[in-house]
Amino acid sequence: MKKIIQFTLALLCSLCFSLLAFAQCGTQFTPQDIEKLNKYRDSISSLVRDWKRTRGVRDVPIKFHVAGENSVSLWLIDEQVKILNHIYINANLRFIRYDEPNYINDDRFNDYQIYMEDDLALTHEIPNVINVFYVDDIPGYAGYTYMAGNYRSNRVFISKKYMENKSTLAHEVGHFFGLYHTHGKTNDAPTDEYVSRIRDADNDNKKDCLTTGDDCCDTPADPNLKTHKGYCNSNCTINNSPSRVDPNGDYYKPMVRNLMSYNPYKNCRDTLTVEQLMRVSMIAKNERASLKIPDEDLRTGKKVAGRVVFTMTNQDPMPVTKDINLYRFDKLYKWGDSFTFSATNNSDISLNMYIINWGTSGTMNLLYPVKRYGEEADIKTDATYSFPQNFKLTGKPGKDYVCFLFSRKKLNEVKLTQYLQDAEGNFTQRLYSVIGENSVFDLKLLPFDEVDYREGNTINFSGFLEEDEILPVMVEMEWQQ
């Protein structure tokens, strides 16, 4: 059974798409783009085999520019960011709106045409962030973007006519991170993909679905829903009446809810598959690594710093290496090993600290503070908290997680632990989906680019913390029998 990740889109206008003439995507993949993406096929396949593994989360800054006569509210822009995060956290990406939207007052762009792009973008775009330009209309298109590799590669253009469906921006961001349409690498041509998921026409021991269509075997072959829109129902179900078959005579059953499809009911595009998500993750790491919050973004929060130390019971150090913002122990530990840890606040201000463990049993445990023991979250300047007992690795081997959360505000740690338990995904995905999206906390995790994480025998960190931010220190321990 296909494993898929689904996200729910709250609709502002559930049927507005049927009132608009179909506007296709304007993104074009050049032969050079396709060649570049082809080199990641084997790496993506390896990533898919280990897709449940917890990984660090990469922050992606996104700057919004609004041109034309019709304005776009900050609320609607922030809703778009929430949707991006709800989708792409499953690819270990978090989008951060960079600064306030840039409202461009220039009559030249009231009737935007694609040939005007450079005149608009070169004046306003910010280096090393995704620049989203909302324009009143893009004749014939709902939006377009580019792959990495040229001076236009950090741009996404969206027609305001297609904002309210809430999938157009997410669709173009998919292209930005290397996703093709589900029917293939062109916009209008019929698919070159067969329905069979095991076909190997050239006997090279590689399934054809890895090199045809969208290069993802867990997206069913799609004959191109622009041409064959009869497969799509307005209630987002598939209509099996069309009898379109591939050259082998097998019937197409496209995934009409896939975000990267040409379903004309754009509100229905609410699904990405595991292979698509891992492709996004791979391209983000290798082709979009330059995306970062600009250095001139001066922090106004309080300077904070601290240290976390894990030590074996015999006093041996437990060195760590970081994967973005997730620490992993350098050593594979064994059943029966025993260790402890401590955390120190080296800031000039008191901090609240919360420690949560997610073990191999699948249960979230609040390690600190535990009110029945009289513990308080507040950690004074230069104070050290030492866990009062040793951890002994027993039970089911696998991977354990310990997460330290440092904040200036007090949290409802019991609610937080329960929300993490009820969330979906691996540990980092749960943490990032709960904090920032959940109105119960009204807080956000400090962007990775704004924390100095250091690795070695001890975990040292520093950053500038606003009132509404949390600095996370996440640690993974793998152990065996």
Side-chain angles (χ1 to χ4, degrees):
M1 181 178 180
K2 176 181 293 218
K3 300 182 180 73
I4 61 176
I5 309 296
Q6 275 194 300
F7 56 90
T8 303
L9 299 179
L11 301 180
L12 295 178
C13 173
S14 61
L15 294 178
C16 60
F17 326 103
S18 60
L19 303 178
L20 293 170
F22 181 86
Q24 70 178 27
C25 167
T27 300
Q28 303 282 344
F29 285 90
T30 68
Q32 292 78 18
D33 293 335
I34 295 170
E35 182 180 1
K36 181 185 294 185
L37 291 171
N38 286 347
K39 72 181 183 181
Y40 293 109
R41 281 173 176 160
D42 291 341
S43 298
I44 293 169
S45 296
S46 176
L47 203 58
V48 168
R49 288 192 291 271
D50 197 22
W51 73 276
K52 289 186 176 181
R53 182 181 185 184
T54 294
R55 294 177 170 86
V57 173
R58 192 177 303 276
D59 286 325
V60 180
I62 182 166
K63 174 70 176 181
F64 290 90
H65 309 267
V66 182
E69 296 183 281
N70 302 313
S71 188
V72 177
S73 71
L74 178 61
W75 177 84
L76 188 53
I77 287 173
D78 284 343
E79 286 298 299
Q80 298 280 324
V81 176
K82 286 181 182 178
I83 292 168
L84 291 176
N85 283 329
H86 199 51
I87 302 166
Y88 289 105
I89 189 59
N90 297 303
N92 301 295
L93 299 183
R94 178 181 64 159
F95 293 84
I96 298 173
R97 174 170 61 80
Y98 172 67
D99 208 354
E100 297 300 309
N102 173 27
Y103 292 97
I104 300 168
N105 184 18
D106 191 330
D107 292 344
R108 290 181 301 160
F109 306 116
N110 290 350
D111 183 21
Y112 177 79
Q113 305 289 325
I114 291 179
Y115 73 82
M116 301 176 178
E117 178 185 327
D118 280 354
D119 286 343
L120 174 57
L122 289 174
T123 304
H124 297 282
E125 62 189 344
I126 306 295
N128 300 322
V129 308
I130 299 179
N131 289 271
V132 173
F133 290 87
Y134 285 121
V135 294
D136 287 346
D137 190 22
I138 307 171
Y141 301 110
Y144 67 93
T145 188
Y146 302 92
M147 261 295 293
N150 66 68
Y151 75 94
R152 293 178 169 143
S153 62
N154 286 347
R155 302 173 187 172
V156 179
F157 279 78
I158 301 293
S159 168
K160 295 173 192 172
K161 291 182 178 181
Y162 293 88
M163 281 190 66
E164 290 185 342
N165 64 59
K166 292 194 171 184
S167 73
T168 296
L169 177 59
H171 176 101
E172 296 305 331
V173 167
H175 288 318
F176 185 93
F177 287 106
L179 293 183
Y180 298 122
H181 291 126
T182 47
H183 59 262
K185 303 168 185 67
T186 63
N187 288 334
D188 297 314
T191 188
D192 61 346
E193 185 175 13
Y194 283 67
V195 171
S196 171
R197 302 292 86 184
I198 61 173
R199 184 175 184 269
D200 179 13
D202 52 4
N203 296 312
D204 64 351
N205 293 318
K206 291 185 179 181
K207 294 180 289 186
D208 290 354
C209 53
L210 290 172
T211 58
T212 57
D214 64 352
D215 292 356
C216 295
C217 286
D218 63 352
T219 59
D222 179 341
N224 193 332
L225 296 181
K226 177 187 176 184
T227 307
H228 303 284
K229 57 177 66 74
Y231 281 102
C232 306
N233 292 322
S234 61
N235 66 356
C236 303
T237 59
I238 185 172
N239 178 6
N240 287 310
S241 297
S243 55
R244 177 77 176 168
V245 297
D246 72 7
N248 272 354
D250 293 324
Y251 288 94
Y252 289 103
K253 292 187 180 296
M255 184 181 288
V256 296
R257 301 194 70 139
N258 197 286
L259 178 66
M260 303 311 296
S261 75
Y262 258 176
N263 190 329
Y265 300 101
K266 290 181 168 56
N267 62 314
C268 294
R269 301 189 303 183
D270 64 359
T271 299
L272 284 179
T273 66
V274 169
E275 289 186 32
Q276 287 175 309
L277 290 165
M278 295 302 98
R279 186 182 186 90
V280 167
S281 182
M282 179 64 66
I283 299 306
K285 177 182 178 181
N286 291 281
E287 296 293 334
R288 296 296 191 178
S290 63
L291 295 173
K292 60 177 293 185
I293 296 173
D295 293 336
E296 65 269 19
D297 181 28
L298 299 177
R299 301 291 295 173
T300 59
K302 297 287 188 180
K303 178 71 179 292
V304 297
R307 180 177 70 252
V308 173
V309 181
F310 285 82
T311 310
M312 299 295 293
T313 304
N314 64 4
Q315 301 303 308
D316 282 350
M318 299 172 66
V320 294
T321 303
K322 61 186 175 72
D323 168 12
I324 307 178
N325 58 352
L326 172 68
Y327 286 96
R328 292 193 178 95
F329 289 104
D330 294 346
K331 179 181 176 181
L332 179 65
Y333 292 97
K334 297 182 179 180
W335 193 94
D337 284 345
S338 182
F339 67 95
T340 189
F341 61 82
S342 65
T344 301
N345 176 17
N346 296 130
S347 313
D348 292 334
I349 60 171
S350 295
L351 291 175
N352 297 293
M353 181 179 72
Y354 304 87
I355 307 174
I356 296 173
N357 160 248
W358 192 36
T360 55
S361 66
T363 301
M364 291 283 176
N365 302 296
L366 177 65
L367 301 183
Y368 182 87
V370 180
K371 293 298 174 64
R372 68 176 181 271
Y373 296 153
E375 296 174 336
E376 295 293 336
D378 185 60
I379 303 294
K380 304 295 184 185
T381 300
D382 291 330
T384 296
Y385 167 78
S386 297
F387 196 72
Q389 63 192 55
N390 290 326
F391 276 98
K392 189 171 184 179
L393 297 176
T394 59
K396 179 184 177 182
K399 293 177 181 177
D400 272 87
Y401 298 88
V402 180
C403 180
F404 301 78
L405 300 174
F406 297 91
S407 66
R408 293 170 60 184
K409 283 185 177 180
K410 288 192 178 296
L411 308 180
N412 185 327
E413 63 270 19
V414 176
K415 256 184 188 175
L416 174 59
T417 305
Q418 187 59 56
Y419 276 45
L420 289 170
Q421 181 68 61
D422 295 341
E424 296 182 351
N426 60 42
F427 184 79
T428 54
Q429 290 167 356
R430 290 178 185 230
L431 183 66
Y432 274 78
S433 64
V434 167
I435 298 178
E437 287 190 13
N438 200 307
S439 59
V440 172
F441 304 107
D442 195 27
L443 295 166
K444 59 187 177 182
L445 294 169
L446 187 63
F448 166 73
D449 287 336
E450 297 176 2
V451 185
D452 181 13
Y453 288 111
R454 298 186 182 182
E455 55 195 10
N457 288 343
T458 63
I459 297 171
N460 291 282
F461 60 90
S462 62
F464 290 87
L465 199 60
E466 304 281 359
E467 282 279 357
D468 62 346
E469 292 178 325
I470 298 174
L471 191 156
V473 176
M474 301 174 289
V475 187
E476 177 188 275
M477 167 181 280
E478 184 173 5
W479 59 285
Q480 63 185 12
Q481 193 70 39

